[in-house]
Amino acid sequence: QVQLVESGGGLVQPGGSLRLSCAASGSISFINYMGWYRQAPGKQRELVARINGGGITNYADSVKGRCTISRDNAKNTVYLQMNSLKPEDTAVYYCHADIGWRTSRDYWGQGTQVTVSS
């Protein structure tokens, strides 16, 4: 009913930049949060950045100062600009949305691979 489609992942050298995009479509009543999680091999999934309907953002300590999350409400799209990338940023990045009016539900994208390597 709700689909999250990600784009922008790929291979980048240390110090490089990537911009991830996630567009939500389908039966969207209300978007409470949209954001990005990542999961590296052998590690638990962790929050990278999140933005709520009022534009309030939250970042993991590991990416503060290097990443910026933004949202285009008209397109139901969230972006993650990542700069000064490090090898430890390598992971599968998953778009996430908390959607619902009166009741809410979590939705996840299929994931996009980000690899930071020389």
Side-chain angles (χ1 to χ4, degrees), residues 4 11 22 34 41 45 49 51 54 57 66 84 103 118:
L4 303 178
L11 175 65
C22 174
M34 289 190 73
R45 186 175 297 185
I51 186 168
T57 58
R66 301 189 295 117
S84 301
T103 60
S118 59

Side-chain angles (χ1 to χ4, degrees), residues 6 20-22 35-37 47-49 69 78-80 93-95:
E6 301 134 321
L20 306 182
S21 300
C22 174
W36 294 91
Y37 288 72
L47 175 70
V48 179
I69 189 168
V78 66
Y79 307 93
L80 183 66
Y93 284 68
Y94 295 92
C95 182

Side-chain angles (χ1 to χ4, degrees), residues 59-80:
Y59 297 93
D61 289 339
S62 59
V63 303
K64 286 181 179 177
R66 301 189 295 117
C67 294
T68 302
I69 189 168
S70 60
R71 179 179 173 183
D72 185 336
N73 290 334
K75 297 180 179 180
N76 291 323
T77 299
V78 66
Y79 307 93
L80 183 66

Side-chain angles (χ1 to χ4, degrees), residues 8-9 16-20 38 48 63 66-68 80-85 89 93 114:
S17 298
L18 285 174
R19 191 191 193 206
L20 306 182
R38 67 185 181 188
V48 179
V63 303
R66 301 189 295 117
C67 294
T68 302
L80 183 66
Q81 178 68 45
M82 302 189 293
N83 302 317
S84 301
L85 286 164
D89 294 318
Y93 284 68
V114 172

Side-chain angles (χ1 to χ4, degrees), residues 91-102:
V92 178
Y93 284 68
Y94 295 92
C95 182
H96 170 260
D98 184 316
I99 296 174
W101 180 252
R102 291 143 70 185

